[in-house]
Amino acid sequence: MTKENGRFVTFEGCDGCGKSTQLKLLSEYLQQEQIEHIFTREPGGGKISEAIREILLSGKNAEMGDECEALLYAASRAQHIKDRVQPALREGKLVVCDRYVDSSFAYQAFARGLGFSFIEKINAFALEKFLPDVTIFFDLSPREAFARKKGADADDRLEQAGLAFHERVYEGYLSLCEKYPERIVKIDARRSIEEIAKEVLSVLKARGCF
Ligand SMILES: Nc1ncnc2c1ncn2[C@@H]1O[C@H](COP(=O)(O)OP(=O)(O)OP(=O)(O)O)[C@@H](O)[C@H]1O
Ligand SMILES: [Mg+2]
């Protein structure tokens, strides 16, 4: 849990599970209700972090080693916390982040096979105390997500890794849900956009986020 005044919420799930779609709807709700908040994303969310994002996601860097990738994600996260997350939480705002440390667990620890303890170690250093208060996991299998997103993001290095990789990501997320049942709330993301949005609001309200 964070020691600042604001609440920290993260959205997680496989590529194409609907995170950005739900962020947009949540954003509309929060604006309408005049709830002070910021939206941010990982990797990225600041000048330096966005520069690291470009290196990470560029199709030109296909030869990047898994260790380098994991360290860059953690480095980007450390800077993102300093630049955006911590200042907003200090001001008592709600911070909603599209992907965060659980993406490193699912992608680097589980799918790339670097192991949980290594990713935990480098992220403990990067995160300090900034663990989310609530994480929403949008539960949609990669097969279903791929079908929705067909054709998009052809240049994305992670998309090129193929379905088997994304299946491991998905399994990783399911293990994280078991490991952190207090923090991670699993939402069935196969339903309509409106039904999911409703549940997101009710989960966040029930957890005292607004
Ligand atoms: N509940 C839903 N039912 C049907 N289609 C959906 C649903 N939610 C999102 N989509 C569609 O699925 C596609 C992927 O959604 P979106 O971009 O929100 O996923 P994402 O999790 O942000 O993906 P990424 O990890 O690549 O950023 C979009 O075309 C979106 O319109
Ligand atoms: Mg997205």
Side-chain angles (χ1 to χ4, degrees):
M1 288 287 173
T2 56
K3 293 191 187 97
E4 318 286 329
N5 293 325
R7 306 289 278 171
F8 186 17
V9 174
T10 57
F11 279 11
E12 294 280 357
C14 293
D15 294 20
C17 67
K19 300 178 296 296
S20 302
T21 304
Q22 293 301 326
L23 273 166
K24 197 166 161 280
L25 292 177
L26 178 60
S27 166
E28 284 168 14
Y29 174 85
L30 294 173
Q31 272 170 24
Q32 194 184 305
E33 297 295 312
Q34 300 188 329
I35 295 164
E36 284 224 275
H37 67 279
I38 66 157
F39 280 101
T40 185
R41 67 166 184 184
E42 284 211 347
K47 189 180 66 151
I48 296 166
S49 314
E50 288 288 339
I52 300 175
R53 179 189 177 94
E54 278 206 32
I55 297 171
L56 279 164
L57 298 188
S58 167
K60 292 182 193 135
N61 293 329
E63 77 272 27
M64 185 185 293
D66 293 348
E67 296 78 6
C68 174
E69 181 188 63
L71 290 163
L72 281 179
Y73 272 111
S76 155
R77 184 162 299 131
Q79 188 66 34
H80 174 226
I81 291 167
K82 275 200 173 56
D83 286 347
R84 299 215 62 199
V85 177
Q86 181 168 29
L89 289 174
R90 279 216 173 118
E91 289 168 15
K93 290 180 181 159
L94 174 67
V95 175
V96 185
C97 189
D98 191 348
R99 295 195 177 283
Y100 194 63
V101 68
D102 298 298
S103 286
S104 280
F105 288 133
Y107 286 76
Q108 277 71 52
F110 289 93
R112 297 273 192 231
L114 292 179
F116 188 82
S117 75
F118 169 65
I119 297 300
E120 192 179 36
K121 227 177 270 170
I122 59 174
N123 277 283
F125 177 64
L127 249 68
E128 299 176 44
K129 64 193 171 187
F130 291 95
L131 260 186
D133 296 295
V134 187
T135 296
I136 295 187
F137 169 57
F138 294 92
D139 187 358
L140 188 75
S141 76
R143 215 169 271 280
E144 290 162 306
F146 263 40
R148 280 184 186 170
K149 245 192 139 178
K150 225 163 47 192
D153 289 344
D155 188 44
D156 188 316
R157 209 169 51 83
L158 291 183
E159 299 273 350
Q160 290 168 15
L163 193 59
F165 174 82
H166 291 281
E167 297 282 3
R168 293 198 296 276
V169 170
Y170 183 59
E171 294 300 317
Y173 271 125
L174 295 180
S175 319
L176 290 167
C177 290
E178 279 178 25
K179 193 174 170 73
Y180 303 111
E182 308 278 291
R183 174 170 66 81
I184 304 181
V185 179
K186 188 158 68 171
I187 284 187
D188 181 353
R190 291 170 302 181
R191 296 168 300 163
S192 74
I193 291 173
E194 295 71 27
E195 280 175 296
I196 299 166
K198 229 185 204 176
E199 195 177 344
V200 168
L201 284 187
S202 86
V203 165
L204 296 182
K205 277 181 193 161
R207 296 294 185 108
C209 293
F210 45 81

Coordinates of all heavy atoms in Angstrom, one line a residue, residues 86-138:
Q86 N 4.1 9.5 -7.9 CA 4.2 10.1 -6.5 C 3.7 11.5 -6.4 O 2.9 11.8 -5.4 CB 5.7 10.0 -6.1 CG 5.9 10.6 -4.7 CD 7.3 10.2 -4.2 OE1 8.3 10.1 -5.0 NE2 7.5 10.1 -2.9
P87 N 4.0 12.4 -7.3 CA 3.4 13.8 -7.2 C 1.9 13.8 -7.1 O 1.3 14.5 -6.3 CB 3.9 14.5 -8.4 CG 5.1 13.8 -8.8 CD 4.9 12.4 -8.5
A88 N 1.3 13.0 -7.9 CA -0.2 13.0 -8.0 C -0.8 12.4 -6.7 O -1.8 12.9 -6.1 CB -0.7 12.2 -9.2
L89 N -0.1 11.3 -6.2 CA -0.6 10.7 -4.9 C -0.5 11.6 -3.8 O -1.3 11.7 -2.9 CB 0.1 9.4 -4.7 CG -0.2 8.2 -5.6 CD1 0.7 7.0 -5.3 CD2 -1.7 7.8 -5.5
R90 N 0.6 12.4 -3.8 CA 0.9 13.4 -2.7 C -0.2 14.5 -2.7 O -0.6 15.0 -1.6 CB 2.2 14.1 -3.0 CG 3.4 13.3 -2.5 CD 4.4 14.2 -1.9 NE 5.5 13.4 -1.3 CZ 6.7 13.3 -1.7 NH1 7.1 14.1 -2.7 NH2 7.6 12.6 -1.1
E91 N -0.7 14.8 -3.9 CA -1.8 15.8 -4.0 C -3.2 15.2 -3.7 O -4.2 15.8 -3.9 CB -1.8 16.4 -5.4 CG -0.6 17.3 -5.6 CD -0.4 17.7 -7.1 OE1 -1.4 17.5 -7.9 OE2 0.7 18.2 -7.4
G92 N -3.2 13.9 -3.4 CA -4.4 13.3 -3.0 C -5.3 12.8 -4.2 O -6.5 12.5 -4.0
K93 N -4.6 12.8 -5.4 CA -5.4 12.4 -6.5 C -5.5 10.9 -6.7 O -4.7 10.2 -6.2 CB -4.7 13.0 -7.8 CG -4.8 14.5 -7.9 CD -4.1 15.0 -9.1 CE -4.2 16.5 -9.2 NZ -3.2 17.1 -10.1
L94 N -6.5 10.5 -7.5 CA -6.6 9.1 -7.9 C -5.6 8.9 -9.1 O -5.7 9.7 -10.1 CB -8.0 8.8 -8.3 CG -8.3 7.4 -8.9 CD1 -8.1 6.3 -7.9 CD2 -9.7 7.4 -9.5
V95 N -4.8 7.9 -9.0 CA -3.9 7.6 -10.1 C -4.3 6.3 -10.8 O -4.4 5.3 -10.1 CB -2.4 7.5 -9.7 CG1 -1.5 7.1 -10.8 CG2 -1.9 8.8 -9.0
V96 N -4.6 6.4 -12.1 CA -5.0 5.2 -12.8 C -3.9 4.9 -13.9 O -3.6 5.7 -14.7 CB -6.4 5.3 -13.5 CG1 -6.8 4.0 -14.1 CG2 -7.4 5.7 -12.4
C97 N -3.3 3.7 -13.8 CA -2.2 3.4 -14.7 C -2.5 2.2 -15.5 O -2.9 1.1 -15.0 CB -0.9 3.2 -13.8 SG 0.6 3.1 -14.8
D98 N -2.3 2.4 -16.8 CA -2.5 1.3 -17.8 C -1.2 0.5 -17.8 O -0.2 0.9 -18.4 CB -2.7 2.0 -19.2 CG -3.2 1.0 -20.3 OD1 -3.1 -0.2 -20.1 OD2 -3.6 1.5 -21.3
R99 N -1.2 -0.7 -17.2 CA -0.1 -1.6 -16.9 C 0.9 -1.0 -15.8 O 1.1 0.2 -15.8 CB 0.8 -1.8 -18.2 CG 0.0 -2.6 -19.3 CD 1.0 -3.1 -20.3 NE 0.4 -3.9 -21.4 CZ 0.0 -5.1 -21.2 NH1 0.2 -5.8 -20.1 NH2 -0.6 -5.8 -22.2
Y100 N 1.4 -2.0 -15.1 CA 2.4 -1.6 -14.0 C 3.2 -2.8 -13.7 O 3.5 -3.7 -14.6 CB 1.6 -1.0 -12.8 CG 2.5 -0.3 -11.8 CD1 3.1 0.9 -12.1 CD2 2.6 -0.8 -10.5 CE1 3.9 1.5 -11.2 CE2 3.3 -0.1 -9.5 CZ 4.0 1.0 -9.9 OH 4.8 1.7 -8.9
V101 N 3.6 -3.0 -12.4 CA 4.5 -4.1 -12.1 C 4.0 -5.5 -12.5 O 4.8 -6.4 -12.8 CB 5.0 -4.0 -10.6 CG1 3.8 -4.3 -9.7 CG2 6.1 -4.9 -10.3
D102 N 2.7 -5.7 -12.4 CA 2.2 -7.1 -12.7 C 2.5 -7.4 -14.2 O 2.7 -8.6 -14.5 CB 0.7 -7.2 -12.4 CG 0.5 -7.0 -11.0 OD1 1.0 -7.8 -10.1 OD2 -0.2 -6.0 -10.6
S103 N 2.6 -6.4 -15.1 CA 3.0 -6.7 -16.5 C 4.4 -7.3 -16.5 O 4.7 -8.2 -17.2 CB 2.9 -5.5 -17.3 OG 1.6 -5.2 -17.6
S104 N 5.3 -6.8 -15.6 CA 6.7 -7.3 -15.6 C 6.7 -8.7 -15.1 O 7.5 -9.6 -15.5 CB 7.6 -6.4 -14.7 OG 8.0 -5.3 -15.4
F105 N 5.8 -9.0 -14.1 CA 5.7 -10.4 -13.6 C 5.2 -11.3 -14.7 O 5.8 -12.4 -14.9 CB 4.8 -10.5 -12.3 CG 5.4 -9.9 -11.1 CD1 4.7 -9.0 -10.3 CD2 6.7 -10.2 -10.7 CE1 5.3 -8.4 -9.1 CE2 7.3 -9.6 -9.6 CZ 6.6 -8.8 -8.8
A106 N 4.1 -10.9 -15.3 CA 3.5 -11.8 -16.3 C 4.4 -12.0 -17.6 O 4.6 -13.1 -18.0 CB 2.1 -11.2 -16.7
Y107 N 4.9 -10.9 -18.1 CA 5.7 -10.9 -19.3 C 7.2 -11.4 -19.1 O 7.6 -12.3 -19.8 CB 5.7 -9.6 -20.0 CG 4.4 -9.2 -20.7 CD1 3.3 -8.8 -19.9 CD2 4.2 -9.4 -22.1 CE1 2.1 -8.5 -20.5 CE2 3.0 -9.1 -22.7 CZ 1.9 -8.7 -21.9 OH 0.7 -8.4 -22.5
Q108 N 7.8 -10.7 -18.2 CA 9.3 -11.0 -18.0 C 9.5 -12.3 -17.1 O 10.3 -13.1 -17.4 CB 10.0 -9.8 -17.4 CG 10.4 -8.8 -18.5 CD 9.3 -8.0 -19.0 OE1 8.5 -7.4 -18.3 NE2 9.1 -8.0 -20.3
A109 N 8.8 -12.3 -16.0 CA 9.1 -13.4 -15.0 C 8.5 -14.7 -15.6 O 9.2 -15.7 -15.7 CB 8.5 -13.1 -13.7
F110 N 7.2 -14.7 -16.0 CA 6.5 -15.9 -16.4 C 6.8 -16.2 -17.9 O 7.3 -17.3 -18.2 CB 5.0 -15.9 -16.1 CG 4.7 -16.0 -14.7 CD1 4.5 -14.8 -13.9 CD2 4.5 -17.2 -14.0 CE1 4.2 -14.9 -12.6 CE2 4.2 -17.3 -12.7 CZ 4.0 -16.1 -11.9
A111 N 6.4 -15.3 -18.8 CA 6.5 -15.6 -20.2 C 7.9 -15.7 -20.7 O 8.3 -16.6 -21.5 CB 5.7 -14.6 -21.0
R112 N 8.8 -14.8 -20.3 CA 10.2 -14.9 -20.8 C 11.0 -15.9 -19.9 O 12.1 -16.2 -20.3 CB 10.9 -13.5 -20.6 CG 10.3 -12.4 -21.5 CD 10.9 -12.4 -22.9 NE 10.5 -11.2 -23.6 CZ 10.0 -11.2 -24.8 NH1 9.8 -12.3 -25.5 NH2 9.7 -10.1 -25.4
G113 N 10.4 -16.2 -18.8 CA 11.1 -17.3 -18.0 C 12.2 -16.8 -17.1 O 13.1 -17.6 -16.7
L114 N 12.2 -15.5 -16.8 CA 13.3 -15.0 -15.9 C 13.1 -15.3 -14.5 O 14.0 -15.1 -13.7 CB 13.4 -13.4 -16.1 CG 13.9 -13.0 -17.5 CD1 14.0 -11.4 -17.5 CD2 15.3 -13.5 -17.8
G115 N 11.9 -15.7 -14.1 CA 11.7 -16.2 -12.7 C 11.1 -15.0 -11.9 O 11.5 -13.8 -12.1
F116 N 10.3 -15.4 -11.0 CA 9.6 -14.4 -10.1 C 10.5 -13.6 -9.2 O 10.5 -12.4 -9.1 CB 8.5 -15.1 -9.3 CG 7.6 -14.1 -8.6 CD1 6.5 -13.5 -9.2 CD2 7.9 -13.8 -7.2 CE1 5.7 -12.6 -8.5 CE2 7.1 -12.9 -6.6 CZ 6.0 -12.3 -7.2
S117 N 11.5 -14.3 -8.6 CA 12.3 -13.7 -7.6 C 13.2 -12.6 -8.2 O 13.4 -11.5 -7.6 CB 13.1 -14.7 -6.8 OG 14.2 -15.2 -7.5
F118 N 13.8 -12.8 -9.4 CA 14.6 -11.8 -10.0 C 13.8 -10.5 -10.4 O 14.2 -9.4 -10.1 CB 15.3 -12.4 -11.3 CG 15.9 -11.4 -12.2 CD1 17.1 -10.7 -11.7 CD2 15.5 -11.1 -13.4 CE1 17.7 -9.7 -12.5 CE2 16.1 -10.1 -14.2 CZ 17.2 -9.4 -13.8
I119 N 12.6 -10.7 -10.9 CA 11.8 -9.6 -11.3 C 11.3 -8.9 -10.0 O 11.2 -7.6 -10.0 CB 10.6 -10.1 -12.2 CG1 11.1 -10.7 -13.5 CG2 9.6 -8.9 -12.5 CD1 11.9 -9.8 -14.3
E120 N 11.0 -9.6 -9.0 CA 10.6 -9.0 -7.7 C 11.7 -8.2 -7.2 O 11.5 -7.1 -6.7 CB 10.2 -10.1 -6.7 CG 9.5 -9.6 -5.5 CD 9.1 -10.7 -4.6 OE1 9.9 -11.7 -4.5 OE2 8.0 -10.6 -4.0
K121 N 12.9 -8.7 -7.2 CA 14.1 -8.0 -6.7 C 14.3 -6.7 -7.4 O 14.4 -5.6 -6.8 CB 15.3 -8.9 -6.8 CG 16.2 -9.0 -5.6 CD 17.4 -9.9 -5.8 CE 17.0 -11.3 -5.5 NZ 18.0 -12.3 -5.9
I122 N 14.4 -6.7 -8.7 CA 14.7 -5.4 -9.4 C 13.5 -4.4 -9.3 O 13.8 -3.2 -9.2 CB 15.1 -5.6 -10.9 CG1 14.0 -6.3 -11.7 CG2 16.4 -6.4 -11.0 CD1 14.3 -6.4 -13.2
N123 N 12.3 -5.0 -9.2 CA 11.2 -4.1 -9.0 C 11.0 -3.5 -7.6 O 10.5 -2.4 -7.4 CB 9.9 -4.7 -9.6 CG 9.8 -4.6 -11.0 OD1 9.4 -3.5 -11.6 ND2 10.1 -5.6 -11.8
A124 N 11.5 -4.3 -6.6 CA 11.4 -3.8 -5.3 C 12.3 -2.5 -5.2 O 11.9 -1.5 -4.5 CB 11.9 -4.9 -4.3
F125 N 13.4 -2.6 -5.9 CA 14.3 -1.4 -5.9 C 13.7 -0.3 -6.7 O 13.7 0.9 -6.2 CB 15.6 -1.9 -6.6 CG 16.6 -0.8 -6.7 CD1 17.2 -0.1 -5.6 CD2 17.0 -0.4 -8.0 CE1 18.1 0.9 -5.8 CE2 18.0 0.7 -8.2 CZ 18.5 1.3 -7.1
A126 N 13.0 -0.6 -7.8 CA 12.5 0.5 -8.6 C 11.2 1.1 -8.0 O 11.0 2.3 -8.1 CB 12.1 -0.1 -10.0
L127 N 10.4 0.3 -7.3 CA 9.1 0.7 -6.9 C 9.1 1.4 -5.5 O 8.3 2.2 -5.2 CB 8.2 -0.5 -6.6 CG 7.1 -0.8 -7.5 CD1 7.5 -1.1 -8.9 CD2 6.3 -2.0 -7.0
E128 N 10.1 1.1 -4.7 CA 10.1 1.5 -3.3 C 8.8 1.1 -2.7 O 8.5 -0.1 -2.7 CB 10.3 3.0 -3.1 CG 11.7 3.5 -3.7 CD 11.9 4.9 -3.6 OE1 11.5 5.5 -2.6 OE2 12.4 5.5 -4.6
K129 N 7.9 2.0 -2.2 CA 6.7 1.6 -1.5 C 5.5 1.7 -2.5 O 4.4 1.5 -2.1 CB 6.5 2.5 -0.4 CG 6.2 4.0 -0.8 CD 6.3 5.0 0.3 CE 6.3 6.3 -0.3 NZ 6.5 7.4 0.6
F130 N 5.7 2.0 -3.8 CA 4.6 2.3 -4.6 C 3.9 1.1 -5.3 O 4.0 0.9 -6.5 CB 5.0 3.3 -5.7 CG 5.2 4.7 -5.0 CD1 6.5 5.1 -4.7 CD2 4.1 5.5 -4.7 CE1 6.7 6.3 -4.0 CE2 4.3 6.7 -4.1 CZ 5.6 7.1 -3.7
L131 N 3.3 0.3 -4.4 CA 2.4 -0.8 -4.9 C 1.0 -0.3 -5.1 O 0.6 0.6 -4.3 CB 2.4 -1.9 -3.9 CG 3.3 -3.1 -4.1 CD1 3.0 -4.2 -3.0 CD2 3.1 -3.7 -5.5
P132 N 0.3 -0.8 -6.1 CA -1.1 -0.3 -6.3 C -2.0 -0.7 -5.1 O -1.8 -1.7 -4.4 CB -1.6 -1.0 -7.5 CG -0.4 -1.6 -8.2 CD 0.7 -1.7 -7.1
D133 N -3.0 0.2 -4.8 CA -4.0 -0.2 -3.8 C -5.0 -1.2 -4.4 O -5.4 -2.2 -3.7 CB -4.9 1.1 -3.4 CG -4.0 2.1 -2.8 OD1 -3.5 1.8 -1.7 OD2 -3.8 3.2 -3.4
V134 N -5.3 -1.1 -5.7 CA -6.2 -2.0 -6.4 C -5.7 -2.2 -7.8 O -5.3 -1.3 -8.5 CB -7.6 -1.5 -6.5 CG1 -8.5 -2.6 -7.1 CG2 -8.2 -1.0 -5.2
T135 N -5.6 -3.5 -8.2 CA -5.3 -3.8 -9.6 C -6.4 -4.6 -10.2 O -6.9 -5.5 -9.6 CB -4.0 -4.7 -9.6 OG1 -2.9 -4.0 -9.1 CG2 -3.7 -5.2 -11.0
I136 N -6.9 -4.1 -11.3 CA -8.0 -4.8 -12.0 C -7.3 -5.6 -13.2 O -6.6 -5.1 -14.0 CB -9.0 -3.8 -12.6 CG1 -9.7 -3.2 -11.4 CG2 -10.0 -4.6 -13.5 CD1 -10.9 -2.3 -11.7
F137 N -7.6 -6.9 -13.1 CA -7.1 -7.8 -14.2 C -8.3 -8.1 -15.1 O -9.3 -8.7 -14.7 CB -6.6 -9.1 -13.5 CG -6.3 -10.2 -14.6 CD1 -5.5 -10.0 -15.6 CD2 -6.9 -11.4 -14.5 CE1 -5.2 -10.9 -16.6 CE2 -6.7 -12.4 -15.4 CZ -5.8 -12.2 -16.5
F138 N -8.2 -7.7 -16.3 CA -9.2 -8.0 -17.3 C -8.9 -9.4 -17.9 O -8.0 -9.6 -18.7 CB -9.2 -6.9 -18.4 CG -9.6 -5.5 -17.9 CD1 -8.6 -4.7 -17.4 CD2 -10.9 -5.2 -17.8 CE1 -9.0 -3.4 -16.8 CE2 -11.3 -4.0 -17.2 CZ -10.3 -3.1 -16.8

